[in-house]
């Protein structure tokens, strides 16, 4: 068996040499050929150990479909011996499909379910590839499959692939433990064997200033939020009220949920719920705009909770809500929107076949931007997850249409960040930000794969946009330092299978 249609790059060949002998975590920038590393190792293992198979796990059907096609395009293995398996195929049919293929690409949940129901054995597999392995947390399907694989086949190899496994040593160690990793291979855009394959990425920062009207609405919400924070003084929080953040609130909520049920605990839970909702309302205004805030407050009306009722009856919230609606009637919204429209119009005017991906965290914002851009005759579609209303079949169709030029713009949630091949985008726009270094790295990786690209960060000054941007950048730098050190220091062999 051989590879075809590509020549291994120096760093891919070097990584392969490590993977041949050790279970390896491979972390390389998006677009530099992680799947090619899997293909090289799969061909090596199948030639080294005849009559064995290879299992590739990846989190979504669109990703699985792409990886399956890449294996077919890049090896001389008969196409009927490379199959795609997902939960869309009935269990009875899947059981028969395991018998003949050499390479099975599947979603982790599907394989875990079939293992639990004895529809498959992993004894005759010589390689388990886990794509997007940062998902391999405790009790996740990836982790359960890896454990059963090592129980049934201790000599089998594991290859774990990601652009970013996590920003702390604890998170990276957890993945290494769960996937029985012996070695780490990392490449950054500054490594000598990678540099020649890195395309230039022009980065632009657009500072956005909230209008005074929006700042006033924010102040109304913030004053009520501060008032509610004072009520936490009786719950043994060491921080001053002014320094309590969302993480502290979630930690307190969890502590109270496991406390003996008494009036003070119920009061505390309601208070924390109010604070979390107000915190979210302020974030919507800061980073998304008036429509997002109005939509969230409308949603609270349908909640039959004490926290929602208290918030909606508060004078500050009532005033903020009325002002929000008045401004919306006058055509006001977040200043990002006008800036975004200007960027898109100028880009498409200069190059009619431009491909632009706009990232945002919220489905409501996707729908809002879709409507706004289509109104100014920018051919735009949306890419969201199944839970947000788009089936995997339709996700694949949207991506194909975007790649084929039917649309100039793709407004997307996190579904577009992870691994999916979305052609060659000319530009990626961060409409909002995420504190996650993993998601930041994946967003940036959507451009500059085969040709130079542009990345635009839209940052609303003095808001969470700014805080999240700097946090994700700091975490990415720390992650690279941790992995580089781990590459140079042998990892102790995992001898005891983790308990789940």
């Amino acid at each position: 068996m051989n590879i075809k249609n590509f020549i291994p790059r120096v760093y891919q060949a070097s990584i392969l040499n490590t993977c041949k002998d050790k279970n390896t975590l491979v972390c390389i920038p998006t677009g530099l050929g992680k799947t090619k590393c899997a293909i090289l190792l799969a061909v090596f293992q199948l030639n080294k150990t005849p009559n064995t198979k290879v299992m590739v796990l990846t989190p979504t059907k669109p990703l699985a479909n792409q990886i399956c096609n890449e294996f077919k395009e890049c090896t001389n293995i008969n196409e009927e011996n490379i199959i795609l398996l997902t939960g869309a195929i009935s269990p009875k049919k899947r059981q028969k499909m395991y018998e003949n293929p050499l390479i099975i690409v599947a979603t982790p949940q599907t394989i875990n379910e079939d293992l639990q129901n004895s529809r498959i054995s992993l004894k005759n597999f010589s390689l388990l590839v886990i794509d997007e392995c940062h998902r391999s947390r405790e009790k996740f399907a990836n982790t359960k499959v890896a454990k059963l694989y090592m129980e049934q086949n201790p000599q089998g190899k594991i290859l774990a692939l990601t652009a970013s496994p996590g920003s702390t040593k604890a998170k990276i160690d957890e993945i290494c433990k769960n996937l029985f990793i012996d070695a780490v291979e990392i490449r950054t855009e500054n490594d000598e064997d990678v540099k020649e394959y890195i395309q230039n990425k022009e980065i632009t920062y657009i500072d956005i200033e909230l209008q005074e009207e929006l700042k006033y609405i924010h102040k109304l919400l913030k004053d009520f939020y501060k008032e509610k924070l004072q009520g936490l003084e009786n719950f043994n929080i060491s921080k001053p009220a002014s320094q309590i953040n969302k993480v502290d609130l979630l930690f307190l909520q969890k502590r109270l949920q496991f406390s003996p049920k008494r009036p003070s605990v119920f009061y505390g839970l309601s208070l924390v719920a109010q604070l979390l909702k107000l915190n979210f309302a302020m974030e919507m205004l800061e980073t998304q705009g008036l429509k997002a805030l109005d939509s969230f407050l409308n949603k609270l009306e349908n909640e039959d909770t004490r926290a929602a009722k208290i918030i909606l009856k508060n004078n500050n919230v009532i005033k903020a809500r009325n002002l929000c609606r008045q401004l919306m009637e006058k055509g006001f919204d977040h200043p990002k929107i006008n800036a975004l429209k200007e960027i898109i119009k100028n880009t498409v005017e200069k190059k009619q076949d431009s491909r632009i991906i706009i990232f945002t965290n919220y489905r409501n914002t996707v729908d809002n931007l879709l409507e706004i851009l289509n109104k100014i005759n920018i051919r735009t579609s949306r890419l969201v997850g199944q839970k947000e209303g788009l089936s995997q079949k339709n996700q694949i169709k949207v991506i194909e249409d975007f790649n084929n030029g039917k649309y100039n713009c793709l407004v997307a949630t996190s579904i577009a960040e992870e691994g999916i091949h979305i052609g060659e985008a000319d530009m990626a726009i961060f409409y909002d930000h995420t504190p996650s270094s993993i998601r930041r790295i994946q967003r940036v990786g959507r451009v500059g794969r085969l040709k130079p690209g542009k990345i635009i960060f839209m940052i609303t000054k003095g808001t969470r946009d700014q805080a999240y941007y700097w946090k994700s950048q700091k975490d990415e730098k720390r992650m690279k330092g941790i992995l580089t050190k781990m590459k140079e220091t042998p990892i102790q062999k995992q001898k005891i299978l983790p308990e789940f």
Side-chain angles (χ1 to χ4, degrees), residues 54-78:
V54 170
M55 177 72 73
V56 182
L57 301 183
T58 194
T60 67
K61 185 178 178 181
L63 263 174
N65 185 60
Q66 288 176 192
I67 291 172
C68 189
N69 288 335
E70 194 166 348
F71 265 84
K72 290 176 181 178
E73 291 165 6
C74 296
T75 70
N76 67 347
I77 299 169
N78 290 333

Side-chain angles (χ1 to χ4, degrees), residues 95-124:
Q95 187 165 11
K96 292 180 180 178
M97 291 174 70
Y98 286 118
E99 296 173 6
N100 298 319
L102 294 175
I103 295 172
I104 296 169
V105 185
T107 50
Q109 295 84 353
T110 303
I111 300 304
N112 183 50
E113 181 187 327
D114 288 347
L115 283 165
Q116 300 300 330
N117 290 282
S118 301
R119 288 190 284 266
I120 182 177
S121 167
L122 297 176
K123 288 181 180 178
N124 61 338

